[in-house]
Amino acid sequence: MAAPVDLELKKAFSELQAKVIDTQQKVKLADLQIEQLTKTKKHAHLTDTEVMMLVDETRMYEGVGRMFILQPKGVIHNQLLEKQRIAEEKIKELE
């Protein structure tokens, strides 16, 4: 009589153990993504800080693939702010 109960408990325990391992892997992945997004956000913020200190007439180029495109300071500033905003939203989603 004890054997069937033990088999059911073993099965339930192994399923629960598999769920725990899966959840732990998902948490580790989310932590890594949050860390990467935090670095991206910080990089964009620091770059924007440096860009804003430059004179408005400074020639700025945006890297696109293997080429660079001349862009006004305002466009570069807006792109960096958008990059920060997107990173912040994704961090909130992952948390």
Side-chain angles (χ1 to χ4, degrees):
M1 184 101 171
V5 174
D6 288 341
L7 290 175
E8 289 176 20
L9 285 174
K10 272 188 177 181
K11 183 179 177 184
F13 181 74
S14 64
E15 288 175 3
L16 187 60
Q17 202 170 22
K19 285 182 182 179
V20 167
I21 291 170
D22 185 48
T23 303
Q24 286 174 341
Q25 289 174 346
K26 287 180 181 177
V27 167
K28 283 182 184 179
L29 179 63
D31 287 343
L32 289 173
Q33 288 175 336
I34 288 172
E35 183 180 331
Q36 183 63 35
L37 287 167
T38 303
K39 287 180 184 179
T40 300
K41 181 182 165 192
K42 187 173 185 176
H43 183 269
H45 175 71
L46 292 172
T47 304
D48 187 45
T49 303
E50 292 297 319
V51 165
M52 293 311 294
M53 286 193 291
L54 297 173
V55 181
D56 286 343
E57 293 78 32
T58 305
R59 296 172 65 95
M60 296 188 184
Y61 296 88
E62 175 187 4
V64 180
R66 294 174 54 186
M67 67 179 183
F68 296 93
I69 298 175
L70 181 63
Q71 295 282 13
K73 181 179 173 181
V75 171
I76 301 290
H77 173 66
N78 289 337
Q79 288 174 346
L80 290 169
L81 289 178
E82 183 68 16
K83 195 173 191 179
Q84 291 178 53
R85 187 187 62 76
I86 290 171
E88 185 65 35
E89 287 177 2
K90 287 182 180 178
I91 288 171
K92 286 180 182 177
E93 286 177 16
L94 290 170
E95 288 177 341

